[in-house]
Amino acid sequence: MICEQQRNGGIHIISAFICDECSSEMVRTEVRDQKYPFFVKQMKKVFYTKHAKSYMN
């Protein structure tokens, strides 16, 4: 869900999959890094999608 590529190996969070490469990069990224806002934006998609689905049910 971060890089939006098909990859093997990673973790599932709620209904999203984060590949090993992205999860490693996210852990190493500091708040002041220019990539940080991108990671936050991508992670928000998981939570917004989850809440949208729960309201629909």
Side-chain angles (χ1 to χ4, degrees):
M1 75 159 278
I2 302 297
C3 64
E4 299 178 353
Q5 302 292 315
Q6 292 284 334
R7 308 252 176 142
N8 293 328
I11 59 174
H12 285 91
I13 298 178
I14 305 175
S15 61
F17 176 78
I18 301 174
C19 68
D20 288 331
E21 292 87 358
C22 288
S23 92
S24 294
E25 188 173 1
M26 288 172 60
V27 170
R28 291 189 312 265
T29 301
E30 297 201 19
V31 175
R32 294 185 183 114
D33 191 301
Q34 65 183 8
K35 289 183 180 180
Y36 188 83
F38 169 75
F39 291 134
V40 171
K41 182 181 119 196
Q42 294 299 92
M43 290 300 295
K44 282 182 180 180
K45 290 180 183 179
V46 174
F47 297 104
Y48 288 136
T49 302
K50 165 105 172 92
H51 289 294
K53 286 180 183 176
S54 66
Y55 288 123
M56 296 174 92
N57 292 331

